[in-house]
Amino acid sequence: MIKTVIIEDEEQNKVRLEKLLNSYCPEVKLVGDAGGIKSAYNLIQRLNPDLILLDIQLIDGTGFQLLQLFEEIDFKIIFITAYDEYALKAFRFNALDYLLKPVDPDELKTAIEKAMNQVNNSTKSQLTNASQGFTTKEFDKIVLKDFDNIYLIDVTDIN
């Protein structure tokens, strides 16, 4: 599952996007939405999503102004907008994709798959980096914890 936030100021566009995600992208877990810069910034800070689906024009500014508030952008970005003239600027913010409204379901699915791959590769890389140097007898296992369980994992099982 990829934790996702929608930043969209027009309710009908947000609802349509949610329906498309529910129908075509079951791996997406919507964790929140916002329509303005301040509410979006607070939401992203609080929820730490893997992916944001970002409109260009928001009620109080632009998606670019929102992104400039972050010292480091540690989430993936897919722009979803009616404005094709901002594509180059979007890719300067390392956008994974730039979809025009109305969103084509196949294009959305492809963009989400790209985000999933990058998030999964980033997680694997972090695990690999964390496990390097801990393969001696003294450190051959790591502890992983989720909300309900604690797991003792052999470092050699991480790939």
Side-chain angles (χ1 to χ4, degrees):
M1 296 296 279
I2 185 169
K3 286 189 338 183
T4 304
V5 168
I6 296 174
I7 311 299
E8 167 65 64
D9 64 331
E10 295 181 29
E11 186 65 23
Q12 72 274 13
N13 288 333
K14 183 181 75 76
V15 169
R16 177 168 160 48
L17 186 54
E18 287 175 357
K19 287 180 181 177
L20 287 172
L21 290 168
N22 288 331
S23 296
Y24 295 94
C25 307
E27 62 277 6
V28 168
K29 179 180 180 183
L30 286 175
V31 294
D33 64 81
I37 293 173
K38 184 176 181 179
S39 59
Y41 179 78
N42 291 333
L43 184 73
I44 292 167
Q45 291 286 75
R46 190 175 83 245
L47 298 177
N48 193 29
D50 301 311
L51 172 67
I52 63 168
L53 304 176
L54 181 60
D55 192 10
I56 298 286
Q57 295 297 326
L58 303 173
I59 56 175
D60 55 355
T62 69
F64 300 119
Q65 290 170 316
L66 168 65
L67 294 175
Q68 288 171 339
L69 296 176
F70 293 92
E71 245 180 72
E72 181 182 348
I73 296 176
D74 59 351
F75 45 83
K76 306 303 177 203
I77 306 163
I78 297 173
F79 280 90
I80 298 179
T81 183
Y83 302 95
D84 61 354
E85 65 265 24
Y86 296 108
L88 182 60
K89 188 171 184 178
F91 288 108
R92 288 187 182 135
F93 281 94
N94 292 323
L96 286 180
D97 217 323
Y98 192 92
L99 306 179
L100 292 175
K101 296 175 187 174
V103 175
D104 177 88
D106 291 327
E107 289 179 3
L108 178 62
K109 186 174 180 168
T110 299
I112 295 295
E113 287 170 357
K114 192 185 310 182
M116 287 286 299
N117 288 335
Q118 287 202 7
V119 167
N120 289 338
N121 287 340
S122 176
T123 302
K124 281 183 184 179
S125 175
Q126 289 171 356
L127 283 173
T128 300
N129 289 340
S131 69
Q132 289 178 350
F134 294 101
T135 57
T136 66
K137 291 262 188 228
E138 188 177 351
F139 298 105
D140 58 353
K141 297 185 185 301
I142 63 170
V143 176
L144 297 176
K145 182 176 116 174
D146 64 16
F147 291 109
D148 300 317
N149 300 301
I150 297 175
Y151 304 94
L152 190 60
I153 309 292
D154 284 326
V155 172
T156 57
D157 290 341
I158 299 172
N159 53 5

